[in-house]
Amino acid sequence: MSATTFTAARTIEQTASEPMAQRWAIRWQLYLGFIALALGGLVGLLQAIERIDIDLYDEAGLASYYQGLTLHGVLLALVFTFTFGNAFLSLTTIRGFGRPLASTALVQGAFWTALAGVVLAAYAILTNQASVLFTFYPPLKAHSTFYLGAVFLVLSTWLVSANQLLTWRAWKREHPGERTPLLAFASIATYLMWDLASIGIAIEVVGFLLPWSLGWINTVDPQFNRTLFWFTGHPIVYFWLLPVYVSWYLIFPKQVGGKLYSDGLTRLVFILFLVLSVPTGLHHQYTDPGIPVWMKSIHLFTTFAVVFPSLITAFTLMSVIESAGRARGGRGLIGWIRHLPWGDPSVSAQLLAMLVFLLGGTTGIINASYTVNKVVHNTAFVPGHFHLTVGTAVGLSVMGISYWLVPYLTGNALYGRRLAVAQGWLYAIGVLVFARGQIAGGLNGMPRRTAIGAATYELSSWNLENWMTAIGGVLMAIAGLFFFIVMVGTLLSRKPAEKLEIPVAEARFDSTRTLPLLDRLGFWFVIAALLVVLAYGPFFIAYLPLNLTSPGWNVWQVSGGGDTWVDVLAAGWVVIAIGAFAWFWRLLQGAVFESRRLGRD
Amino acid sequence: MHIERLEKIFMVLGGILLAVGIAAIGASVLAADVHLPAPSGRIDPRTVRTTPPFDQPGVRQIGPNEYEAVIVAYIWAFQVSPDISSNEIHVPVGANVTFKVTSTDVIHGFMIERTDVNAMIIPGQVTEVSYTFDKPGEYLIICHEYCGTGHHTMFAKVIVA
């Protein structure tokens, strides 16, 4: 390491409130997400061009389109989103409370647990023993390390949540009678929602799939497990989205030169997400045979209710953006748009992500609309929709956030600002072309999760739609390349960053007029849990006894997989390797820390 | 908590928008008679081939213009008639067909393009959906849930003449 890096690192240590022992774990959590984004995005490119009969799966060393699709979904929808949330909301908790996290062991543990999860799942997927897609619906039966990886990934999010709560408790002791700072409040609310949401997948994996994959039980109930999956599978989209809302509400207004609208309303929005996100999952199962219709209809109402906080968000953000544009000298009905700081890549990427999200939200309401769902369910319309939401509202916003976050975390100046601005635009244009292709395809009966290029029933009307999907996908991939050029350039940059602070917006209407009840997350968590019992209780009671009649199926390997003991041995080696690396890393960290201390003294 | 007048108006309008959406959906169920798949019984996927009616896949006329199509979904085909090499169902124009489908192995999908027939086929469950074919033509039945490396080859046809 060069002398300049040390200087930069020392500057951060002096200005930030988190100790280095917490900072590196947060930084590496983020990098783990970036690696997932790079690989997952690359596989996405293969999928897009498969639509126009360019099949590069052999060249990429993948056994099938579906092995690639599993990688794409797991890396992007699970690993990238989880690790970003873990890193970003740990940091905003620190910044919000103005103190380090309560436990350094937990923040480091969250990183190691996430890494172990990624390695275990990646091992199963890369050796083609888990081509089950990111929804892993049984009776598709993956190798046990895949489920073990899922366990570890979810565990890492719980460690982050536990650390937030411990930090909150410590802060309250230090600040008796004070209101919980909004930034920390929103960060904690997000993870509390997820704690409740993740119970479904935890029961599914630990109670059924893991013992099943280890041969301890022989059969499962696919309909029941599917319901457990979607118990988590819908609120998971808010777990993807809310870290970005934390940025949009609390950080972005400052970047755009405005103020957060209202402290109380922001708390209300996050509480609404905490309360309403989870009891909605059955709307993913409108077309399932094993669920009574009246139960599905209850989830129609709860799903529409959870649209409401996003409607408030739409208005609030518009007002923030417009008032910022006018404060910067913008005039006229739309003249203020021009005056926004479009040259700041962090701002422009998030602005574009918000615009795309308008379409993403609208298509989401179509999906949720009960009878209308029959037109679009499991068609290409759905990936069209969620590449606008998680793919862009979240994905592009994360890239935008990274344009200040990575300089903040490394002390290095952002490399290639203009390339970064171009990246946002190219990505947004790319996803709009891509989604147009997928959405139109879906309306014309094109199924999702299908190697359309190789399909034996292709319709001629899908031609244009396939081309749009492919062209949009290629544009997104080029934008992804731009992003990583900027990121790697920043990591290697020797120029120190100018500003080393997390931009946090002030509220126009601060917490003095906020109802005290809006501070009590514990209370709202109980309400959320009660709603879940009401929305799911009748189903679970009416559904019993379980129909445990499905043995496992491996439908992606023509010849049987290797011996189980070989896999267990290999997985064991991976875990040992991680442990050894962890040990070595801590030694190295200790040495570096020591040398820095000596350097300072 | 301070909420500005314009935002209040927006929130009320947003609430009305969602209520209108729900009302429209309610109308589609009550007035237009569009329904979602409802539970039609359980089955053991391991013994589907010997369980009636799935021991005899195929189309049967059960009334004037009323037909029943019993279909077994398996990797990677829909068995739509006793003859396993055929993937075509033939019905006359105007036929109201009730599809009874189940799976012998993994989850499959059941979508008929250009119709509102869209349902999941889940092992252990029987899926029942119906549709009236008023226009002649060839309709693809597509498996729209990933079911293995041959998923994109899994389809059948309804031929309405």
Side-chain angles (χ1 to χ4, degrees):
Chain A
M1 272 207 247
S2 68
T4 41
T5 341
F6 275 116
T7 323
R10 217 166 25 236
T11 327
I12 300 163
E13 238 178 320
Q14 282 155 5
T15 53
S17 42
E18 68 274 12
M20 287 309 280
Q22 298 189 357
R23 174 183 284 268
W24 73 256
I26 291 173
R27 204 170 60 212
W28 278 91
Q29 183 92 241
L30 185 71
Y31 295 164
L32 186 60
F34 284 167
I35 293 167
L37 178 63
L39 294 177
L42 202 57
V43 186
L45 175 64
L46 297 186
Q47 282 151 220
I49 59 177
E50 195 269 351
R51 293 287 185 286
I52 50 168
D53 297 323
I54 304 173
D55 182 334
L56 294 180
Y57 284 89
D58 269 353
E59 287 77 358
L62 293 167
S64 71
Y65 177 89
Y66 304 103
Q67 188 189 9
L69 190 57
T70 306
L71 263 181
H72 182 71
V74 169
L75 287 175
L76 295 179
L78 304 179
V79 178
F80 168 61
T81 52
F82 285 18
T83 49
F84 176 76
N86 283 351
F88 186 55
L89 295 194
S90 292
L91 203 64
T92 52
T93 304
I94 294 171
R95 177 66 175 80
F97 285 131
R99 76 184 302 288
L101 292 167
S103 165
T104 300
L106 277 180
V107 66
Q108 293 185 352
F111 166 64
W112 291 118
T113 321
L115 180 63
V118 172
V119 171
L120 286 166
Y123 166 76
I125 300 170
L126 289 172
T127 53
N128 198 26
Q129 301 183 81
S131 294
V132 293
L133 310 193
F134 90 95
T135 46
F136 50 87
Y137 295 137
L140 299 174
K141 186 168 158 187
H143 190 268
S144 54
T145 52
F146 178 83
Y147 303 114
L148 213 53
V151 168
F152 274 81
L153 264 178
V154 172
L155 212 55
S156 80
T157 62
W158 288 354
L159 296 184
V160 169
S161 183
N163 210 358
Q164 285 181 329
L165 295 175
L166 289 173
T167 312
W168 195 16
R169 196 180 62 171
W171 179 87
K172 274 193 210 158
R173 281 186 189 150
E174 293 155 7
H175 302 82
E178 280 183 41
R179 301 214 77 137
T180 305
L182 188 55
L183 184 61
F185 176 91
S187 311
I188 294 171
T190 302
Y191 268 78
L192 277 179
M193 184 282 292
W194 171 246
D195 292 339
L196 183 64
S198 51
I199 292 171
I201 214 171
I203 296 174
E204 187 197 11
V205 172
V206 177
F208 295 91
L209 303 187
L210 189 58
W212 181 54
S213 68
L214 290 166
W216 300 344
I217 55 173
N218 294 320
T219 51
V220 292
D221 179 343
Q223 177 69 81
F224 185 72
N225 279 329
R226 209 173 132 81
T227 310
L228 287 175
F229 179 85
W230 286 114
F231 179 103
T232 302
H234 189 69
I236 204 175
V237 310
Y238 302 110
F239 185 52
W240 298 337
L241 187 63
L242 289 182
V244 164
Y245 270 23
V246 168
S247 167
W248 288 1
Y249 267 98
L250 289 146
I251 293 173
F252 178 81
K254 172 95 169 179
Q255 292 180 289
V256 81
K259 279 187 171 175
L260 158 73
Y261 177 69
S262 144
D263 175 280
L265 204 59
T266 309
R267 279 178 214 257
L268 180 67
V269 164
F270 277 86
I271 285 171
L272 285 175
F273 276 115
L274 168 61
V275 171
L276 295 172
S277 290
V278 191
T280 56
L282 290 186
H283 80 255
H284 286 256
Q285 299 175 277
Y286 283 151
T287 63
D288 277 21
I291 299 171
V293 171
W294 67 273
M295 290 176 192
K296 294 173 181 171
S297 66
I298 290 176
H299 286 231
L300 161 71
F301 286 95
T302 47
T303 307
F304 267 60
V306 77
V307 174
F308 192 66
S310 277
L311 284 178
I312 301 180
T313 303
F315 185 90
T316 306
L317 289 177
M318 293 284 200
S319 104
V320 166
I321 296 165
E322 184 178 342
S323 42
R326 295 199 185 280
R328 298 171 72 96
R331 296 279 172 274
L333 193 61
I334 52 167
W336 54 271
I337 297 174
R338 212 159 41 82
H339 287 261
L340 295 167
W342 290 100
D344 177 345
S346 181
V347 169
S348 60
Q350 292 187 74
L351 277 171
L352 292 165
M354 288 171 193
L355 280 175
V356 171
F357 191 44
L358 289 176
L359 295 170
T362 313
T363 48
I365 295 172
I366 293 171
N367 294 337
S369 292
Y370 203 70
T371 39
V372 186
N373 177 262
K374 297 217 289 184
V375 182
V376 297
H377 175 76
N378 263 9
T379 68
F381 184 95
V382 179
H385 151 72
F386 67 64
H387 281 82
L388 299 172
T389 54
V390 66
T392 305
V394 177
L396 184 55
S397 289
V398 168
M399 296 183 202
I401 293 165
S402 302
Y403 292 145
W404 67 259
L405 182 60
V406 171
Y408 170 82
L409 284 172
T410 57
N412 298 345
L414 185 73
Y415 170 85
R417 183 188 61 83
R418 269 185 292 193
L419 189 64
V421 171
Q423 183 272 331
W425 282 98
L426 190 61
Y427 192 91
I429 293 167
V431 79
L432 289 175
V433 176
F434 169 89
R436 171 66 175 73
Q438 289 280 286
I439 284 172
L443 294 175
N444 277 326
M446 185 195 290
R448 72 183 278 204
R449 339 183 101 175
T450 302
I452 293 295
T456 44
Y457 49 74
E458 205 161 341
L459 295 176
S460 59
S461 61
W462 294 348
N463 273 342
L464 175 66
E465 290 136 15
N466 282 331
W467 273 94
M468 293 190 84
T469 302
I471 291 168
V474 169
L475 294 180
M476 289 162 79
I478 296 171
L481 180 67
F482 286 3
F483 173 72
F484 283 104
I485 292 173
V486 172
M487 282 298 110
V488 172
T490 305
L491 288 179
L492 300 177
S493 163
R494 286 166 181 276
K495 214 171 111 191
E498 282 167 23
K499 277 187 281 185
L500 284 172
E501 55 173 25
I502 301 176
V504 180
E506 289 167 50
R508 257 168 72 199
F509 304 102
D510 66 15
S511 65
T512 47
R513 293 172 69 175
T514 302
L515 295 169
L517 189 62
L518 290 183
D519 239 12
R520 297 183 49 196
L521 280 176
F523 170 77
W524 293 109
F525 185 83
V526 172
I527 300 282
L530 284 176
L531 264 184
V532 168
V533 171
L534 284 177
Y536 271 104
F539 167 75
F540 286 125
I541 291 166
Y543 188 81
L544 295 173
L546 296 183
N547 185 21
L548 295 164
T549 49
S550 277
W553 289 83
N554 179 333
V555 287
W556 56 88
Q557 268 174 333
V558 180
S559 56
D563 289 326
T564 306
W565 70 268
V566 175
D567 299 327
V568 172
L569 207 65
W573 276 114
V574 171
V575 174
I576 291 168
I578 293 174
F581 181 69
W583 178 74
F584 177 72
W585 185 262
R586 293 199 65 150
L587 262 175
L588 196 71
Q589 284 287 319
V592 170
F593 183 75
E594 194 63 15
S595 70
R596 276 187 193 152
R597 200 174 58 79
L598 291 176
R600 252 205 310 271
D601 298 343
Chain B
M1 186 167 66
H2 183 88
I3 300 174
E4 269 177 90
R5 198 175 61 91
L6 276 176
E7 177 135 32
K8 271 184 195 148
I9 294 171
F10 181 84
M11 283 162 79
V12 170
L13 287 178
I16 291 173
L17 179 78
L18 294 176
V20 169
I22 297 227
I25 293 165
S28 76
V29 178
L30 300 174
D33 217 22
V34 183
H35 294 283
L36 297 183
S40 320
R42 292 181 175 182
I43 191 168
D44 187 331
R46 294 165 295 190
T47 55
V48 163
R49 299 268 181 206
T50 54
T51 309
F54 298 102
D55 54 342
Q56 292 199 312
V59 186
R60 278 177 283 274
Q61 186 160 12
I62 52 173
N65 267 341
E66 294 287 322
Y67 293 79
E68 181 185 78
V70 174
I71 301 176
V72 175
Y74 63 102
I75 51 168
W76 292 290
F78 294 102
Q79 190 181 346
V80 296
S81 77
D83 171 16
I84 199 154
S85 64
S86 158
N87 70 348
E88 293 177 359
I89 295 172
H90 292 265
V91 289
V93 177
N96 178 255
V97 186
T98 299
F99 298 90
K100 284 189 175 169
V101 200
T102 196
S103 162
T104 63
D105 40 57
V106 298
I107 296 182
H108 296 284
F110 191 81
M111 170 179 66
I112 306 181
E113 45 110 18
R114 286 178 289 138
T115 72
D116 72 344
V117 174
N118 191 330
M120 302 306 298
I121 308 167
I122 298 179
Q125 305 283 337
V126 176
T127 301
E128 202 175 302
V129 284
S130 49
Y131 187 76
T132 304
F133 291 91
D134 286 326
K135 287 185 194 139
E138 230 183 68
Y139 297 79
L140 274 178
I141 302 176
I142 298 173
C143 171
H144 66 16
E145 183 55 82
Y146 166 66
C147 58
T149 38
H151 165 52
H152 49 270
T153 63
M154 183 166 169
F155 73 102
K157 282 175 190 169
V158 181
I159 294 164
V160 182

